PDB file of all heavy atoms in Angstrom:
ATOM      1  N   TYR A  99      16.517-155.881  57.228  1.00 95.00           N
ATOM      2  CA  TYR A  99      17.720-155.173  57.851  1.00 95.00           C
ATOM      3  C   TYR A  99      18.143-156.141  59.000  1.00 95.00           C
ATOM      4  O   TYR A  99      17.237-156.721  59.692  1.00 95.00           O
ATOM      5  CB  TYR A  99      17.395-153.824  58.497  1.00 95.00           C
ATOM      6  CG  TYR A  99      18.492-153.330  59.367  1.00 95.00           C
ATOM      7  CD1 TYR A  99      19.612-152.690  58.870  1.00 95.00           C
ATOM      8  CD2 TYR A  99      18.322-153.548  60.873  1.00 95.00           C
ATOM      9  CE1 TYR A  99      20.627-152.277  59.764  1.00 95.00           C
ATOM     10  CE2 TYR A  99      19.414-153.137  61.673  1.00 95.00           C
ATOM     11  CZ  TYR A  99      20.532-152.519  61.155  1.00 95.00           C
ATOM     12  OH  TYR A  99      21.488-152.096  62.105  1.00 95.00           O
ATOM     13  N   SER A 100      19.443-156.358  59.123  1.00 92.00           N
ATOM     14  CA  SER A 100      19.933-157.102  60.250  1.00 92.00           C
ATOM     15  C   SER A 100      21.299-156.594  60.615  1.00 92.00           C
ATOM     16  O   SER A 100      22.179-156.396  59.721  1.00 92.00           O
ATOM     17  CB  SER A 100      20.042-158.581  59.823  1.00 92.00           C
ATOM     18  OG  SER A 100      20.581-159.325  60.949  1.00 92.00           O
ATOM     19  N   SER A 101      21.587-156.424  61.984  1.00 87.00           N
ATOM     20  CA  SER A 101      22.829-155.871  62.377  1.00 87.00           C
ATOM     21  C   SER A 101      23.902-157.039  62.446  1.00 87.00           C
ATOM     22  O   SER A 101      25.024-156.757  62.458  1.00 87.00           O
ATOM     23  CB  SER A 101      22.669-155.238  63.772  1.00 87.00           C
ATOM     24  OG  SER A 101      22.127-156.141  64.619  1.00 87.00           O
ATOM     25  N   SER A 102      23.352-158.357  62.498  1.00 80.00           N
ATOM     26  CA  SER A 102      24.399-159.330  62.497  1.00 80.00           C
ATOM     27  C   SER A 102      23.855-160.482  61.608  1.00 80.00           C
ATOM     28  O   SER A 102      22.583-160.767  61.571  1.00 80.00           O
ATOM     29  CB  SER A 102      24.468-159.937  63.995  1.00 80.00           C
ATOM     30  OG  SER A 102      23.195-160.368  64.309  1.00 80.00           O
ATOM     31  N   THR A 103      24.700-161.142  60.889  1.00 73.00           N
ATOM     32  CA  THR A 103      24.325-162.286  60.090  1.00 73.00           C
ATOM     33  C   THR A 103      24.953-163.560  60.709  1.00 73.00           C
ATOM     34  O   THR A 103      26.041-163.647  61.108  1.00 73.00           O
ATOM     35  CB  THR A 103      24.901-162.114  58.681  1.00 73.00           C
ATOM     36  OG1 THR A 103      26.165-161.679  58.663  1.00 73.00           O
ATOM     37  CG2 THR A 103      23.968-161.015  57.979  1.00 73.00           C
ATOM     38  N   LYS A 104      24.108-164.619  60.730  1.00 68.00           N
ATOM     39  CA  LYS A 104      24.531-165.789  61.404  1.00 68.00           C
ATOM     40  C   LYS A 104      25.520-166.672  60.664  1.00 68.00           C
ATOM     41  O   LYS A 104      26.429-167.305  61.234  1.00 68.00           O
ATOM     42  CB  LYS A 104      23.303-166.731  61.617  1.00 68.00           C
ATOM     43  CG  LYS A 104      22.273-166.122  62.649  1.00 68.00           C
ATOM     44  CD  LYS A 104      21.086-166.981  62.814  1.00 68.00           C
ATOM     45  CE  LYS A 104      20.018-166.268  63.499  1.00 68.00           C
ATOM     46  NZ  LYS A 104      18.688-166.938  63.393  1.00 68.00           N
ATOM     47  N   SER A 105      25.339-166.791  59.210  1.00 65.00           N
ATOM     48  CA  SER A 105      26.256-167.642  58.565  1.00 65.00           C
ATOM     49  C   SER A 105      26.755-166.935  57.269  1.00 65.00           C
ATOM     50  O   SER A 105      26.329-166.035  56.822  1.00 65.00           O
ATOM     51  CB  SER A 105      25.565-168.921  58.240  1.00 65.00           C
ATOM     52  OG  SER A 105      24.685-168.677  57.111  1.00 65.00           O
ATOM     53  N   ASP A 106      27.866-167.614  56.780  1.00 71.00           N
ATOM     54  CA  ASP A 106      28.410-167.159  55.497  1.00 71.00           C
ATOM     55  C   ASP A 106      27.740-167.810  54.328  1.00 71.00           C
ATOM     56  O   ASP A 106      28.189-167.512  53.181  1.00 71.00           O
ATOM     57  CB  ASP A 106      29.992-167.411  55.562  1.00 71.00           C
ATOM     58  CG  ASP A 106      30.630-166.711  56.649  1.00 71.00           C
ATOM     59  OD1 ASP A 106      30.166-165.673  57.047  1.00 71.00           O
ATOM     60  OD2 ASP A 106      31.726-167.174  57.058  1.00 71.00           O
ATOM     61  N   LEU A 107      26.885-168.747  54.570  1.00 79.00           N
ATOM     62  CA  LEU A 107      26.306-169.343  53.463  1.00 79.00           C
ATOM     63  C   LEU A 107      25.173-168.561  52.760  1.00 79.00           C
ATOM     64  O   LEU A 107      24.329-168.047  53.367  1.00 79.00           O
ATOM     65  CB  LEU A 107      25.545-170.691  53.866  1.00 79.00           C
ATOM     66  CG  LEU A 107      26.488-171.772  54.389  1.00 79.00           C
ATOM     67  CD1 LEU A 107      25.699-172.898  55.060  1.00 79.00           C
ATOM     68  CD2 LEU A 107      27.451-172.291  53.267  1.00 79.00           C
ATOM     69  N   SER A 108      25.443-168.418  51.458  1.00 87.00           N
ATOM     70  CA  SER A 108      24.450-167.543  50.749  1.00 87.00           C
ATOM     71  C   SER A 108      23.263-168.372  50.352  1.00 87.00           C
ATOM     72  O   SER A 108      23.254-169.470  50.459  1.00 87.00           O
ATOM     73  CB  SER A 108      25.129-167.015  49.451  1.00 87.00           C
ATOM     74  OG  SER A 108      24.340-166.077  48.761  1.00 87.00           O
ATOM     75  N   THR A 109      22.216-167.553  49.884  1.00 90.00           N
ATOM     76  CA  THR A 109      20.921-168.187  49.518  1.00 90.00           C
ATOM     77  C   THR A 109      21.074-169.207  48.430  1.00 90.00           C
ATOM     78  O   THR A 109      20.137-169.985  48.117  1.00 90.00           O
ATOM     79  CB  THR A 109      19.908-167.099  49.118  1.00 90.00           C
ATOM     80  OG1 THR A 109      20.555-166.109  48.317  1.00 90.00           O
ATOM     81  CG2 THR A 109      19.271-166.431  50.396  1.00 90.00           C
ATOM     82  N   TRP A 110      22.190-169.100  47.624  1.00 93.00           N
ATOM     83  CA  TRP A 110      22.397-169.934  46.434  1.00 93.00           C
ATOM     84  C   TRP A 110      23.080-171.282  46.849  1.00 93.00           C
ATOM     85  O   TRP A 110      23.466-172.060  45.930  1.00 93.00           O
ATOM     86  CB  TRP A 110      23.248-169.247  45.397  1.00 93.00           C
ATOM     87  CG  TRP A 110      23.007-167.808  45.399  1.00 93.00           C
ATOM     88  CD1 TRP A 110      24.012-166.808  45.741  1.00 93.00           C
ATOM     89  CD2 TRP A 110      21.847-167.041  45.112  1.00 93.00           C
ATOM     90  NE1 TRP A 110      23.413-165.579  45.616  1.00 93.00           N
ATOM     91  CE2 TRP A 110      22.153-165.649  45.157  1.00 93.00           C
ATOM     92  CE3 TRP A 110      20.651-167.390  44.649  1.00 93.00           C
ATOM     93  CZ2 TRP A 110      21.262-164.589  44.976  1.00 93.00           C
ATOM     94  CZ3 TRP A 110      19.597-166.439  44.362  1.00 93.00           C
ATOM     95  CH2 TRP A 110      19.927-165.101  44.552  1.00 93.00           C
ATOM     96  N   ASN A 111      23.209-171.513  48.166  1.00 91.00           N
ATOM     97  CA  ASN A 111      23.897-172.730  48.636  1.00 91.00           C
ATOM     98  C   ASN A 111      22.863-173.641  49.128  1.00 91.00           C
ATOM     99  O   ASN A 111      21.950-173.302  49.851  1.00 91.00           O
ATOM    100  CB  ASN A 111      24.906-172.354  49.754  1.00 91.00           C
ATOM    101  CG  ASN A 111      25.802-173.410  50.132  1.00 91.00           C
ATOM    102  OD1 ASN A 111      25.310-174.510  50.521  1.00 91.00           O
ATOM    103  ND2 ASN A 111      27.176-173.155  50.110  1.00 91.00           N
ATOM    104  N   GLU A 112      23.106-174.964  48.863  1.00 91.00           N
ATOM    105  CA  GLU A 112      22.224-176.092  49.303  1.00 91.00           C
ATOM    106  C   GLU A 112      21.963-176.112  50.808  1.00 91.00           C
ATOM    107  O   GLU A 112      21.007-176.437  51.327  1.00 91.00           O
ATOM    108  CB  GLU A 112      22.768-177.446  48.814  1.00 91.00           C
ATOM    109  CG  GLU A 112      22.614-177.833  47.348  1.00 91.00           C
ATOM    110  CD  GLU A 112      21.027-178.130  47.064  1.00 91.00           C
ATOM    111  OE1 GLU A 112      20.212-178.044  48.055  1.00 91.00           O
ATOM    112  OE2 GLU A 112      20.734-178.259  45.911  1.00 91.00           O
ATOM    113  N   GLN A 113      23.134-175.689  51.477  1.00 90.00           N
ATOM    114  CA  GLN A 113      23.041-175.792  52.942  1.00 90.00           C
ATOM    115  C   GLN A 113      22.399-174.520  53.601  1.00 90.00           C
ATOM    116  O   GLN A 113      22.342-174.368  54.863  1.00 90.00           O
ATOM    117  CB  GLN A 113      24.527-175.925  53.557  1.00 90.00           C
ATOM    118  CG  GLN A 113      24.879-177.372  53.753  1.00 90.00           C
ATOM    119  CD  GLN A 113      25.131-178.107  52.470  1.00 90.00           C
ATOM    120  OE1 GLN A 113      25.876-177.676  51.595  1.00 90.00           O
ATOM    121  NE2 GLN A 113      24.407-179.223  52.248  1.00 90.00           N
ATOM    122  N   TYR A 114      22.009-173.584  52.811  1.00 92.00           N
ATOM    123  CA  TYR A 114      21.404-172.351  53.310  1.00 92.00           C
ATOM    124  C   TYR A 114      20.219-172.698  54.224  1.00 92.00           C
ATOM    125  O   TYR A 114      19.413-173.478  53.973  1.00 92.00           O
ATOM    126  CB  TYR A 114      20.971-171.400  52.154  1.00 92.00           C
ATOM    127  CG  TYR A 114      20.144-170.280  52.741  1.00 92.00           C
ATOM    128  CD1 TYR A 114      20.671-169.104  53.285  1.00 92.00           C
ATOM    129  CD2 TYR A 114      18.716-170.240  52.475  1.00 92.00           C
ATOM    130  CE1 TYR A 114      19.927-168.053  53.648  1.00 92.00           C
ATOM    131  CE2 TYR A 114      17.913-169.177  52.764  1.00 92.00           C
ATOM    132  CZ  TYR A 114      18.517-168.072  53.527  1.00 92.00           C
ATOM    133  OH  TYR A 114      17.758-167.117  53.852  1.00 92.00           O
ATOM    134  N   THR A 115      20.271-172.018  55.443  1.00 90.00           N
ATOM    135  CA  THR A 115      19.091-172.217  56.413  1.00 90.00           C
ATOM    136  C   THR A 115      18.051-171.212  56.094  1.00 90.00           C
ATOM    137  O   THR A 115      18.231-170.040  55.989  1.00 90.00           O
ATOM    138  CB  THR A 115      19.515-171.940  57.843  1.00 90.00           C
ATOM    139  OG1 THR A 115      20.750-172.679  58.102  1.00 90.00           O
ATOM    140  CG2 THR A 115      18.520-172.362  58.842  1.00 90.00           C
ATOM    141  N   PRO A 116      16.735-171.761  55.931  1.00 92.00           N
ATOM    142  CA  PRO A 116      15.672-170.812  55.527  1.00 92.00           C
ATOM    143  C   PRO A 116      15.542-169.616  56.474  1.00 92.00           C
ATOM    144  O   PRO A 116      15.773-169.775  57.712  1.00 92.00           O
ATOM    145  CB  PRO A 116      14.445-171.685  55.689  1.00 92.00           C
ATOM    146  CG  PRO A 116      14.983-173.141  55.348  1.00 92.00           C
ATOM    147  CD  PRO A 116      16.324-173.151  55.852  1.00 92.00           C
ATOM    148  N   ASN A 117      15.289-168.441  55.876  1.00 91.00           N
ATOM    149  CA  ASN A 117      15.073-167.256  56.548  1.00 91.00           C
ATOM    150  C   ASN A 117      16.304-166.575  57.216  1.00 91.00           C
ATOM    151  O   ASN A 117      16.246-165.598  57.919  1.00 91.00           O
ATOM    152  CB  ASN A 117      13.956-167.332  57.524  1.00 91.00           C
ATOM    153  CG  ASN A 117      12.600-167.350  56.840  1.00 91.00           C
ATOM    154  OD1 ASN A 117      12.350-166.643  55.807  1.00 91.00           O
ATOM    155  ND2 ASN A 117      11.740-168.233  57.284  1.00 91.00           N
ATOM    156  N   ASP A 118      17.474-167.203  57.037  1.00 92.00           N
ATOM    157  CA  ASP A 118      18.751-166.556  57.575  1.00 92.00           C
ATOM    158  C   ASP A 118      19.025-165.308  56.739  1.00 92.00           C
ATOM    159  O   ASP A 118      18.960-165.351  55.476  1.00 92.00           O
ATOM    160  CB  ASP A 118      19.942-167.574  57.449  1.00 92.00           C
ATOM    161  CG  ASP A 118      20.211-168.239  58.730  1.00 92.00           C
ATOM    162  OD1 ASP A 118      19.375-168.100  59.648  1.00 92.00           O
ATOM    163  OD2 ASP A 118      21.140-169.055  58.815  1.00 92.00           O
ATOM    164  N   PRO A 119      19.260-164.184  57.394  1.00 93.00           N
ATOM    165  CA  PRO A 119      19.629-162.902  56.568  1.00 93.00           C
ATOM    166  C   PRO A 119      21.032-163.043  55.988  1.00 93.00           C
ATOM    167  O   PRO A 119      21.936-163.396  56.682  1.00 93.00           O
ATOM    168  CB  PRO A 119      19.520-161.787  57.500  1.00 93.00           C
ATOM    169  CG  PRO A 119      19.532-162.421  58.900  1.00 93.00           C
ATOM    170  CD  PRO A 119      19.234-163.865  58.813  1.00 93.00           C
ATOM    171  N   VAL A 120      21.123-162.794  54.705  1.00 93.00           N
ATOM    172  CA  VAL A 120      22.471-162.810  54.027  1.00 93.00           C
ATOM    173  C   VAL A 120      22.657-161.340  53.492  1.00 93.00           C
ATOM    174  O   VAL A 120      21.795-160.764  52.925  1.00 93.00           O
ATOM    175  CB  VAL A 120      22.466-163.763  52.848  1.00 93.00           C
ATOM    176  CG1 VAL A 120      23.703-163.681  51.975  1.00 93.00           C
ATOM    177  CG2 VAL A 120      22.120-165.185  53.165  1.00 93.00           C
ATOM    178  N   PRO A 121      23.793-160.707  53.763  1.00 94.00           N
ATOM    179  CA  PRO A 121      24.045-159.374  53.303  1.00 94.00           C
ATOM    180  C   PRO A 121      23.827-159.299  51.848  1.00 94.00           C
ATOM    181  O   PRO A 121      24.286-160.237  51.049  1.00 94.00           O
ATOM    182  CB  PRO A 121      25.479-159.048  53.680  1.00 94.00           C
ATOM    183  CG  PRO A 121      25.793-160.047  54.862  1.00 94.00           C
ATOM    184  CD  PRO A 121      24.976-161.199  54.623  1.00 94.00           C
ATOM    185  N   ILE A 122      23.031-158.230  51.373  1.00 95.00           N
ATOM    186  CA  ILE A 122      22.705-158.117  49.995  1.00 95.00           C
ATOM    187  C   ILE A 122      23.961-158.107  49.126  1.00 95.00           C
ATOM    188  O   ILE A 122      23.921-158.722  48.041  1.00 95.00           O
ATOM    189  CB  ILE A 122      21.752-156.892  49.712  1.00 95.00           C
ATOM    190  CG1 ILE A 122      21.279-156.916  48.266  1.00 95.00           C
ATOM    191  CG2 ILE A 122      22.418-155.638  50.162  1.00 95.00           C
ATOM    192  CD1 ILE A 122      20.239-155.845  47.937  1.00 95.00           C
ATOM    193  N   VAL A 123      24.981-157.512  49.502  1.00 94.00           N
ATOM    194  CA  VAL A 123      26.221-157.489  48.673  1.00 94.00           C
ATOM    195  C   VAL A 123      26.830-158.796  48.494  1.00 94.00           C
ATOM    196  O   VAL A 123      27.132-159.294  47.301  1.00 94.00           O
ATOM    197  CB  VAL A 123      27.242-156.512  49.331  1.00 94.00           C
ATOM    198  CG1 VAL A 123      28.571-156.517  48.550  1.00 94.00           C
ATOM    199  CG2 VAL A 123      26.732-155.099  49.410  1.00 94.00           C
ATOM    200  N   THR A 124      26.814-159.653  49.638  1.00 92.00           N
ATOM    201  CA  THR A 124      27.329-160.990  49.460  1.00 92.00           C
ATOM    202  C   THR A 124      26.347-161.876  48.444  1.00 92.00           C
ATOM    203  O   THR A 124      26.886-162.488  47.579  1.00 92.00           O
ATOM    204  CB  THR A 124      27.296-161.734  50.838  1.00 92.00           C
ATOM    205  OG1 THR A 124      27.933-160.853  51.856  1.00 92.00           O
ATOM    206  CG2 THR A 124      27.831-163.118  50.861  1.00 92.00           C
TER     207      THR A 124
END
């Protein structure tokens, strides 16, 4: 659970930062 997400980059992106929360819907 996270009330705020840091980036718009999804887990499927090369630039994704490890352990950043991505909204499940995104």
Side-chain angles (χ1 to χ4, degrees):
Y99 166 81
S100 178
S101 54
S102 62
T103 48
K104 290 178 194 163
S105 77
D106 298 332
L107 290 176
S108 191
T109 39
W110 329 113
N111 190 303
E112 281 290 358
Q113 269 69 57
Y114 168 74
T115 311
N117 287 318
D118 264 6
V120 175
I122 184 172
V123 175
T124 309

